[in-house]
Amino acid sequence: MDKVKKYKEVVSDLSHYFQGYSIDRTAKMSIIASTLSNKFPEWIFCGFYRVVDEELLEIGPYQSSIVPCGQIKFSNGVCGMSARERKSIIVDNVNYFDGYISCDDETISEIVVPVFLDNKLIGVLDIDGDSEGQFDHTDKKYLEEIVDLL
């Protein structure tokens, strides 16, 4: 199945899951991480880092076989840059990213999408891949749409 079709199914499924009853954002983050991880098993990490203090992210709901960093400052790493600049970041090879935080030795590529509520940054969605150039504009487009469901 092609990537666009997978993303369209995820958006449809998540929209369906979130209709008809009220659940909080953390629960929605858990469902999003689980749904994405199951639809894209080639990803090695899929999860959220939540803003917990001024310029500090803390691990939130995630799916992975690797143990993630517990906290990330806005001044560090791809997640920190995305939070600081309030924009999505795609890194083809983390080995060439100045200031990369290595939580594992499997991650090669990464995409991070900021999450907003009423124009306030509340976290980031972080996805890691084990091959170079794994993420592109298609991923960015659909992941931004998905975090808007929160």
Side-chain angles (χ1 to χ4, degrees):
M1 178 183 308
D2 81 332
K3 183 166 41 175
V4 171
K5 186 172 181 180
K6 281 185 183 184
Y7 275 120
K8 286 182 177 181
E9 285 183 4
V10 169
V11 170
S12 175
D13 289 349
L14 291 171
S15 297
H16 175 75
Y17 298 154
F18 298 156
Q19 281 186 343
Y21 67 101
S22 179
I23 58 174
D24 72 15
R25 279 187 302 283
T26 303
K28 287 181 178 180
M29 288 176 176
S30 293
I31 291 169
I32 289 170
S34 176
T35 301
L36 284 170
S37 184
N38 283 304
K39 188 61 82 170
F40 295 91
E42 65 273 19
W43 296 348
I44 59 174
F45 177 88
C46 177
F48 291 88
Y49 280 89
R50 298 166 292 107
V51 176
V52 293
D53 201 358
E54 190 171 326
E55 302 209 4
L56 183 66
L57 299 165
E58 188 168 88
I59 190 66
Y62 72 93
Q63 299 284 311
S64 180
S65 61
I66 60 175
V67 177
C69 299
Q71 293 185 327
I72 299 174
K73 294 177 182 178
F74 281 27
S75 58
N76 297 330
V78 183
C79 290
M81 176 183 270
S82 177
R84 186 174 66 250
E85 296 186 2
R86 300 171 61 92
K87 69 178 187 177
S88 298
I89 307 286
I90 296 172
V91 178
D92 290 333
N93 188 324
V94 297
N95 295 307
Y96 302 112
F97 184 88
D98 189 34
Y100 177 68
I101 303 168
S102 179
C103 297
D104 66 276
D105 59 359
E106 297 176 43
T107 299
I108 302 297
S109 58
E110 187 170 5
I111 183 168
V112 181
V113 177
V115 180
F116 300 98
L117 180 65
D118 300 326
N119 275 339
K120 181 182 177 192
L121 181 73
I122 62 167
V124 298
L125 172 61
D126 179 26
I127 299 172
D128 295 357
D130 63 359
S131 60
E132 190 165 345
Q134 196 164 340
F135 305 106
D136 59 22
H137 181 73
T138 299
D139 298 289
K140 178 183 177 293
K141 174 185 185 275
Y142 283 101
L143 293 170
E144 286 174 350
E145 185 177 338
I146 287 165
V147 299
D148 283 345
L149 296 172
L150 287 167

